Amino acid sequence: MEFLQILFSIKYTDIRYILIHKMNLFQYLTTIERFWNNGEGTALARLINISGSHASNKSLHVENCESMIERHLEPPVDEVINTHLKTLYYLHETPPNYGDAYKCQMACVQAVVKLLEAIKEENWCLPIMYVTCLDLRLLALKCENTQQVAKRGHFMEKAAECLMLCFRVCTADNRTDERDTKRLGMLHLVNQMFKVYFRINKLHLCKPLILAIDRLPFKESFPLAQQITYKYFVGRKAMYDSDYKLSDEYLSFAFNHCLTKFWKNKRLILIYLVPVKMLLGHMPRKETMEKFKVPQFYELANALKQGNIRQFDDVMQKYEAFFIDTGIYIIVEKLKIIAYRNLFKKVYLILQTHQIDLQHFFTALQFVGEEDITMDETHCIVANLIAERKIKGYISYQHNKLVVSKKENPFPNLNIQEFYELTLLDESKSVQQKTAETLLIASKWEQENSIKMTDTNDFRGTNLPLTQAFMNLKEQQQQQQDQTDNQNRLKHDDEKKVENTQVNAERQQKSETPINKVFLIT
Amino acid sequence: MASGDNSSNNIQQPPLPPLIGPNNSFGSKNFFSHPPPPPSFNNSNNTPSYMAHIQQYAQNQMQKQLNSSPNNNSGSFFHSNFNQAPNSLFNKPIRFNINKQGVKVNPMMRQAQQNHNNMPFMNQNFQNTNAKKRKNKKKNKNKNNNANNNNNNSNNNDNGFNTSFSSPPHPPLPPIMFTKPPPPIPSSPTTSTASSNNSLSQELLSPPPAIENTSNITTQKDTKNEESSVVSSTSSSSIEKPAMEWPESLYNYVARCYMKCTTPLDKDMCEITLKGKITMAANRNELFTKDWDNEPMPILHSDRLLQQQQQQKPPTNNLFNKNKNVVTGTLAQYQNSSPNLKKATTKKRRTSSSSRSRSRSLSPPRKRMGSEDDKYGNSKTSSKNSKKKAKKEKQSAFYSKFGAAGMGGAVDSLDTERLKKRADRFNTKSSVKSHMNSNSLTTSTFNKKRLSMPSYFVDDTVDEDIDLMDLHIVGSCRDLEKSFLRLTKAPDASEVRPKEVLIYSLTNVKNKWVEKQDYFYACDQLKSIRQDLTVQGIRDEFTVKVYETHARIAIEKGDHEEFNQCQTQLKMLYNEIGGENQLEFLAYRIIYYIFTKNTLDISSVLKTLTNEERENECISHALKLRSAWALCNYSRFFQLYKQSPKMTGYIVDWFIERERKLALKNWIIKVYRPNISSDFIKNTLAFNDLITCLEWLISLNVTFVSDDKQIVDCKTSMNAMAAL
C-alpha cells in the first residue's frame, strides 16, 4: 500500500523519468521528444545530464546514432542530444576518454546556444543550459586533472569561452518580459564562470560579470542558492582586492543564508569570512570554529589577542598548507598587524604613560618572538599602526618616543575605528546622518555587552601568563635602568605599586573592547 | 637478404614502383638492422663514420663561413627546388638546408644556376639524406654506385630486366629510399604493362636493376670496391660512362612521385604518367641526360587538393604557380618536348655533373676516412665536433620523434600519412570551418553537421598536432645577426637560422652587449633568435640559455614586458627540461609578482615551493622581501633591498620608487612630529647618497624646515603627501 501511495505521489513525468535507466535508445529518444514538445525544460535537463540516471545505461552508449536521432527529433534539439550521447559514449569507454568527452560536451553547449537562440522569448529551456554548462565545467576540471601538465588551464579557458557564448545569448535577451527572459539564467552562468576564473587565477575577468549582474533590475529575485554562490565569490574577490567591508557584507550574507545542511559549503564560506572578520576586529568564537572544524582560526585568534607574535608565527607555520591551499595565506598574514597593535596596547597599559619610549616596544617585540627586529623596524611597525589609525599619536624621532593621545583612547577599539572611519571621517555624510549612525552603533554595543561578558572569561587565563612574564621582564629592565638613573627609579617604584591595579584595569579594558568579542554570525 | 646477396642477377625488384607487401616492410627492417656480413665493404658499418664526417665537414664549413663572412650566404638559392613537388614544399627546403651546411653558394649565382643547380642539389640532397637517414640513404647510395659498376659491362637494360623477371620472387628487397613508407602498391610489372602501350615502357617501369644489384655489390665487392665504388660514384655521374640503370636522380624522382601518392587513385595516375615519361625518355635516350630533378611531378588527384591549400599559403604559392604551367603538361609535355630543349638539358647536365663529381670527390674520400681506421686518425677533429654532433643527433632525433616533416631524406611513412591526413583536412575544411565559427553552427543543416561533426573532432586534434609540427622547419639562414620582425606568414626556411648559427648569434649578442650596452640592439637580436628557435621548435638547454640571457638583459634594463615573456617561457621550459638557474629565476618571478602586485600568483608559487627550495639564497631572500612588503615593513624591505642577491636588486628597482613613496607617506611624514632629518630618510629608504635623496624629496614637494634641507617639516609636508 505504501509503495503504491508513493508511486501515486510521483508525478507522471517523474515516472517516465524513473524508468529511464532501463530504457533503450528508442525509448530514450521518444521520451525526449515528448518533453521537448511539451516544453518541459527541467525534465529534459535531467535527460541531458552526464551524471543522470540514464548516463550509466549501456544501451545509450552508441557512438553513432545520428540516423536514429534524426528520425525522432527535430533541430535544434537533435544536435544537443547527439553530442550528449557522444559525450556519454566517451565517458563510458574504459578508461574514460575525458578529452573527447570534453570536446563533445563543448559541442553540446554550442548546440544549446543555438537552441537558446532558436527559442525566442521563452526561457523554459534554461535548465538545459544549466546542466550542460555545469557538465562542461566538470569535464574541463576532469581533463585538467588527468591530462599532462603542459596543457593545464587550457581546458578551463576553453570552457569559459563556451560559457561566455551562452552568457551573451542570455544578456542579449533584454526585450522579453521579466518572467520569460533568458536573463534569468545569467547568474547561474556567472557562477560557473566564477568557478573557472577562480581556478585559473584570472580574477580580473570577473569584473565585467559582476557589473552585468549589478545592472540587472531583478537581481534580488534570483534563486537563493545562486545568490549565495554569487555573493560567496564576489566576497572572495573583494577580499583579494582588499575591500574588506564589502567582502564581509557579501560573505556574511552567504554564510547566514546558506542552509545548515550544506555543511561543507558553509565551512567554505566561513574559511574566507573569518579572516576578513578578524581583520575588521571580530575574533571568532571557539565553539563555532570547532563546529566547522576550522580550529586554525581559533588558535590564530588566541595568538592575536595576546599579541603573541611567536605563537602567531607558530600557528601560521603549523597550518601553512591549509592557508595556502585555501588562498587566504596572504590575508591571514596581515593579521599580524593586529597582533602588533594588541602587544603595543599592553605595553601602553602597563606603562600608563602618554610618552612611551620606543625602546619598550622594541623590548616587547623581542620578547614575543621577533628576535631579529631592529629599532628602525619598530619605528616602522608603530608608524604603520599610526597611519592606519590603530594608534592615535605621533613619534618624536629626536626623543625616540611615541606620544599618544591623552584625550581619547590611544588604542581605539578596532570596531570603533571602523565606525570612526565609516561615519565620522566621511565628509560626504551630513551631521544628522552621522548622529543617527552614532546612536545606532551605541545601542548595538549596549545590546551586545551582555554576550561579551560570557566570553571574556577564557581570555583572562590565557592572557595572564604572558602579561605576567612581560611585566617581570619589565621589572628587570627597570632595575637595570634604576642603577643608572635615579630619577626614573622613583617613577618606576610608583609604577610597581600600581601594578596590580594595572592588571585589573587591563582586564576591564579587555572585557569592554569588542576586539575580544566573538563575532556572532551563526 | 642473404639470398639476395648470392647472385647478381636474381635480385630484380622494382625499386620504384616498389612492391611492398607486409613482407617488404619486414624485409626492410631486416635489411637495415643486419648489415651485410664482412669481409665485404661493409656499408652499414661505414655509414656512421661517414655520416659523422659529413657532419664534421659541414660544421667546419659552417665555422669557416661564420668566421669569414657571416652575411654572405643569406641568399636562398634553394627555391628552385620547390618546384619539384608541391607536397614537398615543406619538406624539401628543410632537407636542402640541412644538406647545405657548409656549402657556400653565392646568391648572385642563382640566376645562372637555374638549370644547373638541380644537380648540385641532388648531390647535396644525397649527402643530407644520408646525414639524416643514415642507414637507408647510405645503402642506397652505395647500391647505386655499385650498381653502376656492375652494370658497366652490360649495356643492355633488357638483360637486367629479363633476369629479374625470370628469377623467382626473392624476399623482397625494400627499395631503399622508401623503406618506411608503405608505398602505394603498384600493380605488378606485368599488369602495369598491360595498361601501357609498348614493351619498352613495360621494362622501364619494371624494377630498375640498380637497387637489386646493390645487394650483389655489397656481397660481391670486397675491400677493393671501396675504392672502386668511390670512383664509380664520381664516374657514374658523368655521361661518358653510360650505365644502363636509371640514374639516381630518376630514382629519386620516381620515389618522389610515389611518395606523393596518397590514394589508390593517385597511385594509378602516377603510374601511368611515370610510364609515359620514362618510356619517352628511354626512347629518346634521355634517361640519363634528362634533368629529373627538375622534372615536374605528375599532377595527382590529391595534388589538386593541395593546390587549393597552397593558394592560402603565400610564400610557397609563388613557387608552385611558377611551375604550374609546366606541371599541367604531364604526359603530353613529354611528347612535345623539343630536341632543342633536350640539348640544352644535356649541356647543362654536363656542367652540373662535373660540379657534382667535384662535390662528390669531396665527400667520398671523407667517407673512406670515416671508415674505422681513419676515424681514429681524425680523432682530433672528430672529438672536437663530437659534442656538436651529439647535439645534432639529438636534434634530429627530436625531429624524427615529432615527425617534423622530412628533416632530410625521403618522406617517410609517417609523413605521407600526415600529408594525407592533411589533405583530408583540407577536404573537409570548408565544412569544419562552419563549425568553428561557433555561432554559425545554426546555419548548417543538421544532416550536414552530423556528418561532419565526428570528423571535426578528429580533425581538431590532428590539426593541432600537425600545425605545430609543420611549423618546425629547419632554417638555412647563415646570418649571424638578424633583426626581429613579427611573422605574418609561414616562416621561410631561408630566413630562419638553424641552431648552430644561433649559438654563434647568441655569443655575438652577448659580446656586443657587454661592449656597448645597446639594449635596443640586444633586444632586437635576442627576439629574432627566440623567434627562430620557436619556429624551428627547438626547446632544449640552448633555448633556456637564450631566454635566460634575454631575461637578464631585460631585468637590467627594466623592460618588464620582455622579461615577462621570457619568464613565462622559462617557466614552461624549466618544467620540460629543467635548468640550473631554475630557482634563481623563480625568485625573480616572485619579485616580479610583487611588482605587479599579483598576490594570487604569489600564493600559487608559495603552494609549489618545497622546503629545500625555500632555502635557496635567492628564493629565501625573495620570500623575506615579499613578507616585508605584505606587512608594509618598509624598514626591513629596504634593508633587504640593499642586500639583494644576483639580479634581484634590478627587479626591485622597477618598483622601488612606488614603495619609497608609500613609505614616505605612511611611515615618515604621517607619523613623525614635528620633523625628521633628511639623513634618516636617506638611510631608511635606501638611497645611495643624500643628494639623490634630497632631489627626490624636492620633486615630491616636501617642505624643509631650513634652507640647508637637513630637516623635513612633516606637518606641512602632509599636504604634499596627499597628492601622492
Side-chain angles (χ1 to χ4, degrees):
Chain A
M1 277 308 289
E2 259 181 47
F3 172 75
L4 275 182
Q5 264 182 338
I6 294 170
L7 205 61
F8 281 119
S9 67
I10 299 170
K11 280 189 220 155
Y12 174 56
T13 53
D14 288 342
I15 294 176
R16 283 180 297 171
Y17 168 71
I18 283 169
L19 296 176
I20 198 73
H21 67 279
K22 286 179 186 165
M23 273 181 182
N24 59 25
L25 184 58
F26 173 79
Q27 289 163 323
Y28 172 76
L29 291 177
T30 40
T31 317
I32 285 188
E33 190 182 7
R34 224 175 304 148
F35 286 150
W36 170 254
N37 291 334
N38 298 342
E40 297 176 54
T42 328
L44 207 50
R46 260 182 263 168
L47 292 178
I48 312 181
N49 189 338
I50 56 166
S51 49
S53 60
H54 70 289
S56 50
N57 186 348
K58 284 222 165 57
S59 56
L60 296 183
H61 300 157
V62 193
E63 192 181 10
N64 290 311
C65 44
E66 279 92 351
S67 53
M68 266 290 256
I69 295 170
E70 201 179 357
R71 233 174 290 144
H72 286 276
L73 304 170
E74 55 190 13
V77 75
D78 54 356
E79 183 62 22
V80 178
I81 302 301
N82 182 30
T83 45
H84 172 62
L85 288 180
K86 276 208 174 59
T87 314
L88 288 185
Y89 170 78
Y90 285 122
L91 271 182
H92 290 85
E93 276 183 350
T94 41
N97 185 349
Y98 290 118
D100 285 335
Y102 166 73
K103 277 173 191 155
C104 287
Q105 187 66 31
M106 208 142 83
C108 185
V109 172
Q110 281 167 354
V112 169
V113 171
K114 272 186 289 171
L115 183 143
L116 291 175
E117 281 169 342
I119 305 173
K120 291 204 169 67
E121 311 205 329
E122 285 176 75
N123 64 2
W124 60 264
C125 46
L126 283 179
I128 303 174
M129 182 188 77
Y130 294 163
V131 79
T132 46
C133 288
L134 178 68
D135 288 345
L136 177 65
R137 189 180 60 81
L138 294 178
L139 278 174
L141 200 63
K142 204 84 191 172
C143 287
E144 296 271 319
N145 294 334
T146 49
Q147 308 280 328
Q148 64 273 53
V149 188
K151 283 187 173 176
R152 290 264 162 91
H154 166 83
F155 296 99
M156 277 297 193
E157 268 175 58
K158 277 274 160 63
E161 279 170 27
C162 243
L163 296 179
M164 207 44 158
L165 290 180
C166 289
F167 184 73
R168 285 204 196 103
V169 176
C170 288
T171 15
D173 187 23
N174 52 7
R175 297 220 181 132
T176 323
D177 180 72
E178 261 186 33
R179 260 190 231 156
D180 296 326
T181 180
K182 291 194 192 68
R183 282 190 289 169
L184 287 174
M186 280 167 71
L187 196 58
H188 183 273
L189 284 173
V190 166
N191 287 338
Q192 293 299 324
M193 283 191 264
F194 275 165
K195 282 178 192 172
V196 174
Y197 293 148
F198 270 79
R199 188 166 174 94
I200 56 178
N201 270 0
K202 297 214 165 150
L203 292 196
H204 58 279
L205 297 173
C206 297
K207 205 173 178 189
L209 303 180
I210 296 175
L211 285 179
I213 294 296
D214 271 348
R215 247 181 270 137
L216 289 181
F218 47 84
K219 60 177 171 184
E220 305 299 330
S221 59
F222 284 112
L224 187 62
Q226 290 182 14
Q227 283 194 55
I228 290 171
T229 316
Y230 174 75
K231 301 238 168 174
Y232 164 70
F233 280 113
V234 178
R236 271 182 73 185
K237 184 175 185 305
M239 181 183 83
Y240 290 125
D241 296 342
S242 306
D243 187 351
Y244 301 120
K245 304 268 155 48
L246 189 78
S247 180
D248 180 23
E249 182 192 323
Y250 276 56
L251 288 172
S252 296
F253 176 94
F255 187 80
N256 291 336
H257 290 84
C258 184
L259 293 181
T260 329
K261 64 174 175 178
F262 299 116
W263 183 84
K264 233 175 144 184
N265 285 350
K266 253 185 130 84
R267 177 173 185 266
L268 214 53
I269 302 170
L270 198 67
I271 286 175
Y272 297 96
L273 180 57
V274 173
V276 173
K277 282 277 188 190
M278 282 164 96
L279 270 177
L280 294 175
H282 305 265
M283 294 300 137
R285 192 157 50 187
K286 192 177 177 187
E287 304 88 73
T288 319
M289 296 303 104
E290 277 169 359
K291 187 178 160 196
F292 286 98
K293 302 229 167 91
V294 276
Q296 297 90 334
F297 293 118
Y298 181 68
E299 290 180 35
L300 210 57
N302 264 344
L304 285 190
K305 281 178 230 162
Q306 296 176 22
N308 191 340
I309 306 291
R310 186 183 288 120
Q311 194 186 331
F312 179 85
D313 284 343
D314 287 347
V315 177
M316 286 291 278
Q317 188 75 38
K318 190 170 156 195
Y319 298 115
E320 190 178 68
F322 169 80
F323 290 139
I324 287 182
D325 279 346
T326 48
I328 54 173
Y329 184 86
I330 308 276
I331 306 295
V332 171
E333 196 183 31
K334 289 211 168 104
L335 290 173
K336 209 174 193 177
I337 293 171
I338 291 178
Y340 287 136
R341 178 251 180 208
N342 288 350
L343 178 72
F344 292 162
K345 185 175 174 184
K346 275 183 210 291
V347 175
Y348 163 72
L349 288 174
I350 291 168
L351 296 177
Q352 283 294 325
T353 168
H354 290 284
Q355 294 188 2
I356 309 159
D357 197 322
L358 282 164
Q359 184 64 39
H360 294 310
F361 291 131
F362 181 61
T363 324
L365 282 172
Q366 277 183 326
F367 177 69
V368 293
E370 296 268 8
E371 273 100 8
D372 55 349
I373 204 152
T374 64
M375 196 60 201
D376 271 355
E377 283 178 49
T378 315
H379 271 258
C380 189
I381 292 167
V382 175
N384 276 325
L385 287 170
I386 295 174
E388 291 176 29
R389 294 181 215 280
K390 289 190 168 68
I391 298 178
K392 298 248 168 85
Y394 64 87
I395 300 176
S396 163
Y397 185 73
Q398 286 77 8
H399 300 93
N400 199 29
K401 272 185 178 164
L402 168 70
V403 183
V404 292
S405 165
K406 270 185 192 172
K407 283 182 239 159
E408 44 185 338
N409 183 0
F411 290 85
N413 294 332
L414 295 179
N415 268 3
I416 292 180
Q417 189 202 348
E418 181 187 337
F419 153 76
Y420 175 78
E421 278 176 7
L422 271 184
T423 314
L424 301 183
L425 282 189
D426 193 344
E427 281 162 17
S428 63
K429 288 179 180 167
S430 67
V431 182
Q432 285 86 350
Q433 214 176 345
K434 281 180 184 173
T435 340
E437 280 179 23
T438 317
L439 283 175
L440 197 77
I441 243 164
S443 64
K444 199 171 137 198
W445 286 337
E446 275 170 17
Q447 283 171 1
E448 284 171 355
N449 252 353
S450 53
I451 312 167
K452 256 184 286 164
M453 297 307 288
T454 58
D455 297 315
T456 42
N457 287 333
D458 344 338
F459 304 139
R460 281 181 196 168
T462 52
N463 277 347
L464 203 53
L466 179 80
T467 316
Q468 198 61 51
F470 181 62
M471 288 191 310
N472 291 342
L473 185 87
K474 267 281 86 89
E475 273 174 47
Q476 288 169 10
Q477 267 193 353
Q478 283 159 4
Q479 278 162 10
Q480 285 168 0
Q481 285 180 354
D482 288 347
Q483 293 165 0
T484 56
D485 193 342
N486 275 335
Q487 275 191 337
N488 272 352
R489 195 182 169 187
L490 288 171
K491 196 178 162 190
H492 287 306
D493 283 343
D494 287 342
E495 274 185 5
K496 272 183 196 168
K497 282 179 198 165
V498 287
E499 215 170 68
N500 285 330
T501 51
Q502 278 167 16
V503 176
N504 288 336
E506 189 196 350
R507 282 176 192 168
Q508 273 182 355
Q509 188 89 21
K510 288 250 162 225
S511 65
E512 283 161 16
T513 46
I515 188 171
N516 288 331
K517 223 194 60 212
V518 191
F519 70 89
L520 309 161
I521 311 164
T522 39
Chain B
M1 273 311 302
S3 64
D5 291 340
N6 292 337
S7 67
S8 59
N9 289 335
N10 53 4
I11 338 78
Q12 310 313 344
Q13 242 242 319
L16 279 185
L19 278 175
I20 298 229
N23 282 345
N24 232 350
S25 60
F26 177 67
S28 69
K29 264 184 202 166
N30 267 347
F31 179 72
F32 292 115
S33 53
H34 304 298
S40 65
F41 169 43
N42 196 334
N43 287 332
S44 51
N45 279 344
N46 267 349
T47 42
S49 56
Y50 167 61
M51 290 324 306
H53 277 274
I54 289 184
Q55 280 185 342
Q56 277 182 18
Y57 170 67
Q59 262 154 8
N60 290 340
Q61 285 289 326
M62 208 196 68
Q63 269 181 333
K64 272 183 214 162
Q65 272 182 334
L66 284 173
N67 294 338
S68 59
S69 57
N71 290 331
N72 260 354
N73 307 317
S74 60
S76 61
F77 43 93
F78 321 102
H79 288 255
S80 54
N81 285 308
F82 283 122
N83 57 16
Q84 285 176 342
N87 64 352
S88 64
L89 275 169
F90 281 105
N91 306 335
K92 289 289 153 157
I94 301 168
R95 213 196 298 171
F96 283 110
N97 296 334
I98 295 167
N99 297 333
K100 272 268 345 249
Q101 280 183 5
V103 184
K104 251 190 197 174
V105 180
N106 189 338
M108 304 303 288
M109 295 292 288
R110 203 165 145 196
Q111 272 275 338
Q113 266 180 340
Q114 195 111 47
N115 298 316
H116 299 251
N117 57 6
N118 293 319
M119 280 318 288
F121 276 121
M122 199 49 229
N123 216 351
Q124 283 162 0
N125 201 349
F126 238 68
Q127 289 178 8
N128 281 340
T129 48
N130 280 337
K132 291 302 157 189
K133 307 205 147 191
R134 281 156 203 188
K135 289 179 183 172
N136 303 349
K137 281 297 154 148
K138 173 62 200 204
K139 286 245 156 157
N140 194 5
K141 189 178 181 181
N142 283 335
K143 282 177 189 172
N144 285 338
N145 294 339
N146 294 334
N148 286 336
N149 284 338
N150 282 341
N151 290 329
N152 278 344
N153 298 331
S154 65
N155 288 335
N156 200 344
N157 269 344
D158 292 345
N159 280 342
F161 283 118
N162 290 339
T163 48
S164 73
F165 278 84
S166 58
S167 67
H170 285 271
L173 267 186
I176 315 103
M177 290 196 63
F178 337 110
T179 50
K180 270 192 199 168
I185 304 158
S187 43
S188 68
T190 42
T191 53
S192 69
T193 52
S195 64
S196 68
N197 313 337
N198 49 24
S199 58
L200 222 180
S201 68
Q202 195 184 63
E203 285 158 7
L204 280 170
L205 279 174
S206 63
I211 290 186
E212 297 89 352
N213 287 340
T214 54
S215 58
N216 306 335
I217 299 148
T218 46
T219 46
Q220 286 181 349
K221 299 232 166 186
D222 35 10
T223 42
K224 271 184 194 173
N225 281 341
E226 206 178 312
E227 279 187 18
S228 65
S229 70
V230 174
V231 175
S232 68
S233 70
T234 50
S235 59
S236 66
S237 58
S238 62
I239 304 173
E240 289 89 32
K241 289 199 176 185
M244 291 325 289
E245 275 72 27
W246 290 2
E248 288 166 14
S249 54
L250 179 54
Y251 280 140
N252 286 340
Y253 174 67
V254 179
R256 274 202 311 275
C257 292
Y258 273 100
M259 277 325 39
K260 246 177 85 176
C261 301
T262 50
T263 63
L265 187 64
D266 284 350
K267 239 181 289 160
D268 289 347
M269 287 176 76
C270 183
E271 204 178 314
I272 293 168
T273 326
L274 282 179
K275 263 179 211 166
K277 282 192 185 189
I278 298 171
T279 316
M280 187 60 64
N283 282 341
R284 299 180 184 201
N285 276 333
E286 283 179 347
L287 215 47
F288 284 89
T289 53
K290 204 166 176 67
D291 190 355
W292 289 108
D293 290 339
N294 260 353
E295 193 67 19
M297 303 290 280
I299 288 217
L300 302 175
H301 175 64
S302 55
D303 274 353
R304 280 179 205 133
L305 303 168
L306 279 168
Q307 212 166 330
Q308 291 168 357
Q309 147 197 2
Q310 298 296 339
Q311 279 159 3
Q312 299 164 350
K313 307 206 168 188
T316 51
N317 197 11
N318 291 338
L319 297 161
F320 189 76
N321 286 340
K322 225 195 268 169
N323 294 330
K324 231 183 194 170
N325 12 1
V326 188
V327 178
T328 44
T330 54
L331 210 146
Q333 178 207 344
Y334 283 89
Q335 288 153 354
N336 292 339
S337 64
S338 65
N340 288 341
L341 213 146
K342 244 189 287 169
K343 271 178 193 169
T345 49
T346 48
K347 238 187 182 177
K348 282 167 207 159
R349 236 296 149 101
R350 222 164 251 163
T351 47
S352 63
S353 66
S354 68
S355 74
R356 182 219 237 174
S357 61
R358 209 193 309 141
S359 63
R360 269 278 166 93
S361 61
L362 269 180
S363 47
R366 283 191 168 264
K367 157 185 146 199
R368 262 188 298 152
M369 272 158 56
S371 64
E372 289 185 22
D373 301 342
D374 290 332
K375 200 179 176 186
Y376 295 109
N378 284 343
S379 59
K380 264 187 228 158
T381 48
S382 66
S383 66
K384 232 188 212 171
N385 291 330
S386 62
K387 212 180 170 186
K388 271 183 197 167
K389 217 190 301 168
K391 255 188 199 167
K392 227 185 184 181
E393 274 164 9
K394 213 174 169 187
Q395 196 182 332
S396 65
F398 171 84
Y399 283 111
S400 60
K401 189 178 160 197
F402 290 95
M407 164 101 182
V411 190
D412 62 86
S413 66
L414 279 178
D415 289 335
T416 32
E417 255 177 27
R418 213 169 280 127
L419 284 171
K420 187 185 168 193
K421 270 187 196 163
R422 201 189 162 126
D424 289 345
R425 241 185 328 136
F426 283 106
N427 277 336
T428 54
K429 195 152 195 178
S430 52
S431 58
V432 172
K433 264 277 162 65
S434 67
H435 286 282
M436 299 300 281
N437 298 336
S438 46
N439 286 333
S440 69
L441 276 168
T442 32
T443 56
S444 57
T445 69
F446 179 54
N447 281 338
K448 202 172 154 195
K449 268 178 300 165
R450 211 180 269 161
L451 286 174
S452 54
M453 216 29 144
S455 68
Y456 162 58
F457 289 122
V458 176
D459 282 342
D460 190 41
T461 52
V462 173
D463 194 45
E464 274 178 15
D465 292 342
I466 285 199
D467 278 356
L468 281 177
M469 292 309 150
D470 277 356
L471 286 175
H472 292 182
I473 61 165
V474 171
S476 60
C477 180
R478 298 275 127 197
D479 294 359
L480 189 60
E481 297 180 358
K482 188 183 114 182
S483 263
F484 174 74
L485 187 69
R486 186 175 287 275
L487 282 175
T488 52
K489 55 183 172 88
D492 190 342
S494 63
E495 288 164 9
V496 174
R497 294 164 293 180
K499 188 180 158 190
E500 308 83 54
V501 181
L502 290 175
I503 291 172
Y504 290 100
S505 301
L506 181 65
T507 340
N508 174 48
V509 177
K510 273 186 186 168
N511 292 338
K512 291 220 171 146
W513 170 248
V514 173
E515 269 172 42
K516 295 180 194 163
Q517 297 271 310
D518 179 358
Y519 180 66
F520 180 79
Y521 168 82
C523 181
D524 187 52
Q525 290 300 315
L526 284 166
K527 273 178 101 153
S528 75
I529 294 179
R530 274 163 50 188
Q531 187 187 52
D532 286 354
L533 287 171
T534 314
V535 158
Q536 298 176 83
I538 301 173
R539 288 178 87 76
D540 54 13
E541 292 81 11
F542 177 68
T543 320
V544 174
K545 219 192 255 171
V546 170
Y547 277 102
E548 280 178 354
T549 312
H550 198 177
R552 281 180 207 281
I553 294 180
I555 287 174
E556 200 175 330
K557 284 294 156 186
D559 185 346
H560 33 85
E561 277 158 25
E562 286 303 326
F563 172 75
N564 191 27
Q565 282 181 23
C566 291
Q567 63 104 352
T568 323
Q569 278 298 320
L570 280 172
K571 195 165 121 191
M572 290 191 269
L573 284 166
Y574 286 142
N575 273 338
E576 286 169 31
I577 45 185
E580 50 189 279
N581 298 327
Q582 192 167 354
L583 293 182
E584 183 191 336
F585 277 86
L586 181 59
Y588 296 160
R589 194 157 90 228
I590 294 173
I591 299 176
Y592 179 75
Y593 287 148
I594 300 178
F595 166 66
T596 55
K597 297 191 190 171
N598 192 341
T599 49
L600 274 179
D601 280 337
I602 291 181
S603 331
S604 28
V605 171
L606 287 178
K607 231 185 248 187
T608 59
L609 281 178
T610 63
N611 279 337
E612 298 100 69
E613 283 171 344
R614 279 167 200 264
E615 278 159 24
N616 174 278
E617 182 199 7
C618 292
I619 302 253
S620 75
H621 175 267
L623 290 179
K624 278 186 208 156
L625 199 75
R626 184 209 64 81
S627 161
W629 171 76
L631 288 175
C632 297
N633 193 337
Y634 300 112
S635 173
R636 182 174 292 177
F637 180 85
F638 288 109
Q639 288 307 314
L640 287 168
Y641 165 65
K642 283 182 192 166
Q643 322 152 356
S644 302
K646 307 222 169 146
M647 299 192 72
T648 37
Y650 285 110
I651 312 181
V652 181
D653 278 339
W654 300 353
F655 59 96
I656 195 81
E657 181 74 10
R658 181 181 83 196
E659 298 302 319
R660 270 182 184 147
K661 278 182 186 166
L662 276 178
L664 184 73
K665 182 182 174 185
N666 288 335
W667 173 13
I668 296 169
I669 303 288
K670 238 186 197 175
V671 171
Y672 290 110
R673 291 290 181 276
N675 43 42
I676 189 81
S677 72
S678 304
D679 201 49
F680 172 77
I681 296 178
K682 183 210 109 186
N683 288 332
T684 49
L685 299 192
F687 279 104
N688 287 333
D689 53 68
L690 194 58
I691 296 168
T692 41
C693 174
L694 285 179
E695 276 171 7
W696 182 71
L697 287 174
I698 292 165
S699 75
L700 296 175
N701 294 325
V702 168
T703 323
F704 295 94
V705 171
S706 54
D707 283 343
D708 61 359
K709 299 197 170 65
Q710 286 308 303
I711 294 168
V712 174
D713 182 348
C714 291
K715 198 160 190 181
T716 42
S717 298
M718 278 292 277
N719 295 331
M721 289 302 106
L724 281 184

